[in-house]
Structures are given as structure tokens and as C-alpha cells.
Amino acid sequence: MIYLFSLLALTLNPFVWKKKIKSKVFLSIQAARVMASLIILFILSYFGLIDHTWQAFLSYGSLFWGLFLVFDLVYSKERLISINVFAGILMLLFFCFLHFIYPFTVTKAKYDFAAAKTTVVNHAAPSMNEQHIPVVPEKYARYKSEKVLGELAHVSYYELGHTSLQKIDGHLYWVTPIEYSGFFKWMKSHRVPGYIRMSAEDENANASLIKKEMKFVPSAYFSENLKRLVRSKYAEPILFRPSFEPDETGKPYYVVAYGYYEKLRQIPDIKGVIVVDPKTGNMRHYSIDKLPLFIDQAIPSNVAEQWNDWYGENVHGFWNKLFAQEDIKRPTEWSHSDEVNGVFDHALQLNWFTDFTRPKSGSGAMVGYSMLNTRTGRITYYSSANGLLNGKSAMNVAEKTFKQNKYEAGIPNLYTIYGQETWVVPLMDSNNVLRELMLIHAKNENVYSAETDKRSLFDNYKYAVATKLGGDSATPTNKALIKKLSGEVTQVYKYQDNDSHQTVIQFMIDGSEKIFTVTSGQNPYSVFMKVGDKVSVDYIETDEIVSAVKTFALDGKK
């Protein structure tokens, strides 16, 4: 049906046709125009995979139809031909307006669209379970995945696809589909052997090949190309960037988000997904509110970036964005990564995270951060983060801590850990090998933990939070983590910490199996504690045996 538009390439003037209908040159030119139009339509539909909608016709057709009408100028001596040319010029002007002027007129509409999806809260996000905080950076996962790829037969046929963070059977993994390395490699193979998976929670884990043959993938050609396969069945909706998503059993699927544009192709709104079995090509579509449970990402990262940009920068329209910049906040821009990063929250729901800073160049503090739920498209903006370290500052702190090693900080992510907003920053060497892990308190960069293993990392950070923030008026925002306990001391152990020059006291309280930790800096009287004394503590509750004490009181001593 779309190819009927090629008839618009003909000279639409009855007087020209009446006069030149018997001219072979004229008929040849008309045939050439139709043929050129067919080629344009084929390129746009087959290679460009444009949606078959009236908005697409206006966006692309105004250019090409306008050019064909202006081309009628060669028949300038014929009656009413000036109307053809004038209509063509109007078409070209409309194309220019649509693409170069109109986008600026809907700046406020873009903000309103993003703001309608946004809920502003003035408290930190709920605390994460430290077991499910990914400490393995994407670069290191790809480094390990490259080694697995190199072990494949006919390795030159393949390359790594886009790596994404996924939840599979309650655990977080870096998942990388295998793609073809070129047209001729696809011709020889017609199958990729599977995908590579690596734990994002365990820094000592190795990547492994999941053998699941796939035929319909993004790097395939002709009818085996993933998006072309989807477009062949779903002609009208906008097709967004696909994501690779194994289900809970490890079976691979590609998820292609679909939706429609508002405001003449200026505002993309996602309505659902099309799930493709890459082995068979079978497809099913789901609306955004009825997604299968295994799908983590229905909103692509590039769409999330747009929505965050609009919410931060378009608050008072185009001219304010350009000049006064009142109430403007800008998402952090990374030089070698997406503007948003995948972060799983306390409920193990994937969110696109980004922190916002002032428009002033070089600002080291954030004014807030957002979490965009990748299944629903709903945005939560945390305004209470005003004044916290932004992501680039956290990277700076991490790299300066290991300045002598010349480690490079990976893209950091912000989590609420033990009730404290905390940057998780991986550090790698020049070969992208993971060397250190850091937790940096987002309010006080002097409170941090740096270790090579995850358990020590969180143990030491828990201790740092309890001790170095002891004189700080700030308390964890997640009150559920702070527990109170009073009782008789049953065991005491003391030692000197050479780094802090303080005495560290570990003790147990009757009726509890936990080991509590307090320092002489927190309470000078703690050094005199002995078995049988009565104490009261506020401590940070975790599932671990050793718990850091927030406040400590020895009976009779203040």
C-alpha cells in the first residue's frame, strides 16, 4: 500500500499531460520519477523501517514530494505550472519548519509530558540489600566476556552485542548477546551460538557461555534482521531500540518497545513491547501494563535520557533554557556511556538512574536524582539529595584515593546503603580489570570503604558509617535499619586501630547473638566496659553477625 505514494512523483498538472502525452521523452521522465520514488520508499521502509503513519508521511514526504513538485519547473511555460512549483516550495518550507523550528516551539510541552510521569519525593530511596548491589562494572564484564568469546569456534564470525544488567532468578547478571561481525560472516553462519552471562554481584565470578542458538538478531540481514522481522508484522507503531532479555530459565528473548509520537514526532510515548523468540521468530505483543514478569526493560535508555533532559531543562520553556536558566537542572553527561545507568532498587526493579546538577560548568554537587522505572516509565525524583556529591565528583574521589595506582573509575551508581545515600564506584586498571571497589558516602566523602572483595567492602563501610558519622547530626533516613537494645554485656574484646588511633571495642549483649562494635572516639567510657556492665545501643541492623553501633551508652556514664 505504501508504494502507491510513488504516484505522487508524477507531474500533477493535466495541461502538461494533455500536451506531452505522446512524447517519449516526457513519458520516460515520468517513469524515471516514479522509479526514483519507489527506490526512496523502499529505502525508507525496508532499511529505515519507518512507521506507516500520517506523521511519517508529513515528516519525510514533505521533503521528497516538495522536490518533485519543484522539479516541474522544467515545464514552466505550461499553464498553471507555477501552482505546482509554489506548492513544492511550500512543502519544502514546511519540512524545514517541521524539523528545524517546530521542535523549539514544543519545549514546554516536552517538560509537561515528562513532569506528568514524575513524582517528587524529599526522602532517600529505601535501603538496598547489599547482596544485590552490583559491584562488577560493565567494562570488566565485557573484558571477561571477550575472553569467553575468544574460545568459540569460528570466533571471527562473531562479536559482542550490547551488554545490559538483568535480573535472572533473583540474582543480577551482566548479559551480552553474541552478534555477527559482518555481512559475509552472517552469510556463512545464519546462527549465533548464544549469549554470555556474568554475575554482577560477585567480583570473583567468571563469565560463561549460555548455548542457545539464535537466528533473528539485530546484526542479521534481510528477513533475519530482528527489527525488520517485527516491522513486517507491525507496520504502524514506532519501534524503539530492542533489549536482550533472558527469562528466569535462561531462555533468550528480544524485547522491542513500541509506541507512538505526539506533537508531530517530537515526543515518543511507549505503549508496550513486542517479545521475539530469536530462535523461531515467533512474536507476541504486550501493553505496558501487562508485561511478562521476566522483562526488566520496556523503556529504552535513549528514551529515558530524553525524558530526563526535558524534565530538567525545559521547566520554563525554550528561552529560559537558553538564557535565564531559572530552576534548570541538568543530567550528568558521561563521555563513554549512556546518560542513564541501570540500577535495581530494593524490590529488584530495574530503574534508569541519573543525577542532576546545576547548569554551572564544573559543579561538583547534585541537586537531586531520578529513578525511572523501566517497566512502567514512571519517574521518581529525589529532591532531598540537594548538595550531595554528584557522580563525577565520586569518580574523582575514587581515582585520587588510588592516584599512585592510576586506576580508572567506572561509571558510579547511587544506592541507599545502611540508610545512607552512597556511591558505588568500581576501579579498574588500563586493561579494564577490576582492581578495587569503593563505597563513598554521598554527603561526606571522608566516609568511605575501599576493598578488593565485597564482604570486606560492606563490613568496613558499615563501620565507617557508625564511627565517622558519630558526631554528625545526620541520621539514616531509613529508620527501619536503626534498632535499640539494652542489656548486660556477656563478652568483650578490645584492640587498637592504628589507622584511626582509637581503641575498638567489640562486645555481645545477653539475649543477642550479634557482635557490636564501638570505638573510643564515639564514647570515651567504652574503653572501661567489662563483662557484667549494662549498656544501651542504637545499631545498624543488617543480616550479618557483626553490627556497627550508631550510639552507645554505658550504664551510669554519659
Side-chain angles (χ1 to χ4, degrees):
M1 184 65 179
I2 190 176
Y3 292 103
L4 291 178
F5 284 113
S6 62
L7 298 178
L8 295 176
L10 294 169
T11 298
L12 303 178
N13 187 306
F15 297 102
V16 175
W17 279 91
K18 184 177 180 179
K19 184 174 181 179
K20 298 183 177 291
I21 187 64
K22 295 181 180 181
S23 170
K24 292 183 179 181
V25 173
F26 173 75
L27 294 176
S28 297
I29 291 174
Q30 297 303 309
R33 288 171 62 151
V34 171
M35 183 60 66
S37 180
L38 286 170
I39 292 172
I40 292 169
L41 287 168
F42 176 75
I43 292 172
L44 289 175
S45 61
Y46 191 78
F47 293 105
L49 299 175
I50 63 166
D51 49 294
H52 298 184
T53 62
W54 67 269
Q55 290 195 32
F57 174 75
L58 288 177
S59 182
Y60 298 97
S62 56
L63 172 63
F64 297 109
W65 194 15
L67 289 173
F68 283 121
L69 287 171
V70 170
F71 187 71
D72 285 339
L73 191 61
V74 297
Y75 308 114
S76 58
K77 296 181 180 180
E78 306 301 329
R79 292 175 59 188
L80 301 180
I81 205 65
S82 58
I83 296 177
N84 291 47
V85 176
F86 181 70
I89 293 173
L90 286 181
M91 283 283 189
L92 294 176
L93 290 175
F94 176 74
F95 174 83
C96 292
F97 170 78
L98 197 62
H99 288 267
F100 303 111
I101 299 175
Y102 181 70
F104 300 118
T105 69
V106 294
T107 301
K108 187 61 167 60
K110 291 178 178 179
Y111 169 78
D112 292 338
F113 174 85
K117 294 180 176 290
T118 303
T119 301
V120 179
V121 298
N122 60 1
H123 57 77
S127 284
M128 275 286 292
N129 183 335
E130 57 266 30
Q131 292 181 350
H132 294 302
I133 294 179
V135 293
V136 177
E138 180 183 345
K139 282 186 177 181
Y140 185 54
R142 287 186 69 85
Y143 166 79
K144 285 287 192 80
S145 299
E146 285 279 6
K147 295 172 70 174
V148 173
L149 184 70
E151 297 172 0
L152 294 178
H154 306 296
V155 63
S156 63
Y157 289 8
Y158 310 113
E159 62 185 14
L160 295 180
H162 177 72
T163 301
S164 61
L165 190 63
Q166 298 282 326
K167 177 180 91 274
I168 302 175
D169 196 23
H171 297 278
L172 305 187
Y173 294 90
W174 287 109
V175 177
T176 308
I178 296 173
E179 299 282 355
Y180 300 109
S181 60
F183 176 76
F184 292 105
K185 308 300 171 58
W186 167 76
M187 287 286 290
K188 291 183 177 180
S189 178
H190 286 283
R191 292 287 190 282
V192 294
Y195 63 95
I196 299 173
R197 188 174 76 181
M198 178 177 174
S199 173
E201 302 171 352
D202 182 2
E203 69 282 3
N204 296 315
N206 289 314
S208 59
L209 173 67
I210 308 300
K211 294 182 179 180
K212 300 283 185 179
E213 282 195 349
M214 296 182 287
K215 178 180 180 180
F216 301 94
V217 297
S219 58
Y221 292 83
F222 303 127
S223 61
E224 293 179 13
N225 177 269
L226 177 74
K227 288 187 73 173
R228 187 165 295 117
L229 174 74
V230 176
R231 178 59 80 199
S232 67
K233 185 175 180 180
Y234 300 94
E236 291 189 2
I238 313 299
L239 300 182
F240 296 93
R241 182 188 296 173
S243 65
F244 181 74
E245 306 233 8
D247 66 11
E248 301 305 314
T249 66
K251 179 178 173 59
Y253 291 94
Y254 273 99
V255 176
V256 181
Y258 74 86
Y260 300 93
Y261 283 115
E262 297 180 11
K263 300 292 183 181
L264 292 176
R265 302 182 76 79
Q266 296 303 311
I267 300 177
D269 190 13
I270 292 174
K271 298 298 184 181
V273 299
I274 298 162
V275 180
V276 184
D277 184 334
K279 182 178 182 179
T280 64
N282 293 334
M283 291 176 276
R284 292 191 66 181
H285 79 276
Y286 300 89
S287 62
I288 198 74
D289 58 343
K290 295 181 180 179
L291 300 179
L293 291 177
F294 77 87
I295 294 178
D296 291 314
Q297 179 188 323
I299 311 297
S301 61
N302 58 329
V303 174
E305 288 176 11
Q306 284 184 306
W307 293 355
N308 275 299
D309 285 339
W310 298 344
Y311 180 73
E313 298 186 358
N314 295 1
V315 57
H316 297 307
F318 172 72
W319 295 111
N320 179 72
K321 176 181 177 179
L322 204 60
F323 296 111
Q325 298 188 335
E326 180 185 356
D327 298 327
I328 278 184
K329 44 189 177 286
R330 286 184 176 156
T332 297
E333 294 180 0
W334 309 104
S335 55
H336 302 295
S337 178
D338 288 337
E339 199 174 88
V340 294
N341 301 317
V343 170
F344 279 86
D345 61 19
H346 69 288
L348 286 186
Q349 291 280 315
L350 180 62
N351 292 263
W352 291 122
F353 161 83
T354 190
D355 60 315
F356 291 79
T357 61
R358 293 175 297 163
K360 179 182 177 182
S361 177
S363 175
M366 70 169 83
V367 297
Y369 63 92
S370 72
M371 300 277 274
L372 188 153
N373 188 296
T374 58
R375 282 175 60 90
T376 66
R378 300 298 304 174
I379 302 170
T380 303
Y381 180 77
Y382 294 90
S383 60
S384 61
N386 191 7
L388 300 185
L389 287 178
N390 65 21
K392 288 188 176 179
S393 295
M395 293 174 70
N396 250 357
V397 170
E399 289 178 348
K400 287 180 180 178
T401 303
F402 293 92
K403 187 176 181 180
Q404 71 278 10
N405 302 97
K406 297 182 180 180
Y407 292 156
E408 178 185 348
I411 300 299
N413 280 316
L414 188 72
Y415 290 93
T416 304
I417 303 173
Y418 305 137
Q420 307 291 318
E421 286 162 313
T422 304
W423 285 106
V424 180
V425 188
L427 287 145
M428 295 163 286
D429 63 19
S430 57
N431 294 317
N432 293 328
V433 176
L434 181 65
R435 294 301 184 187
E436 292 281 343
L437 299 164
M438 282 196 76
L439 300 178
I440 302 172
H441 196 276
K443 184 177 181 182
N444 185 346
E445 64 268 30
N446 293 316
V447 178
Y448 66 86
S449 172
E451 296 292 340
T452 57
D453 66 282
K454 186 175 181 179
R455 176 170 290 279
S456 298
L457 177 75
F458 283 90
D459 282 346
N460 290 344
Y461 185 68
K462 180 171 53 179
Y463 173 76
V465 166
T467 56
K468 294 184 180 180
L469 288 180
D472 198 314
S473 60
T475 58
T477 55
N478 188 343
K479 299 298 183 183
L481 285 176
I482 303 300
K483 302 292 184 182
K484 294 181 180 294
L485 183 64
S486 299
E488 186 176 298
V489 176
T490 60
Q491 303 285 339
V492 178
Y493 174 72
K494 304 174 185 178
Y495 65 92
Q496 188 70 25
D497 185 353
N498 294 326
D499 291 332
S500 63
H501 304 291
Q502 298 183 73
T503 301
V504 179
I505 303 95
Q506 292 188 308
F507 60 97
M508 297 182 70
I509 298 175
D510 187 31
S512 174
E513 296 184 356
K514 285 188 176 293
I515 300 172
F516 299 99
T517 302
V518 66
T519 69
S520 56
Q522 286 178 271
N523 189 315
Y525 292 111
S526 61
V527 298
F528 303 111
M529 181 171 47
K530 60 185 183 298
V531 173
D533 285 344
K534 291 186 177 181
V535 296
S536 297
V537 296
D538 290 348
Y539 64 97
I540 300 172
E541 176 64 279
T542 68
D543 293 332
E544 298 170 359
I545 294 177
V546 179
S547 290
V549 170
K550 181 70 177 174
T551 62
F552 169 87
L554 184 62
D555 191 31
K557 303 293 183 182
K558 296 184 178 180

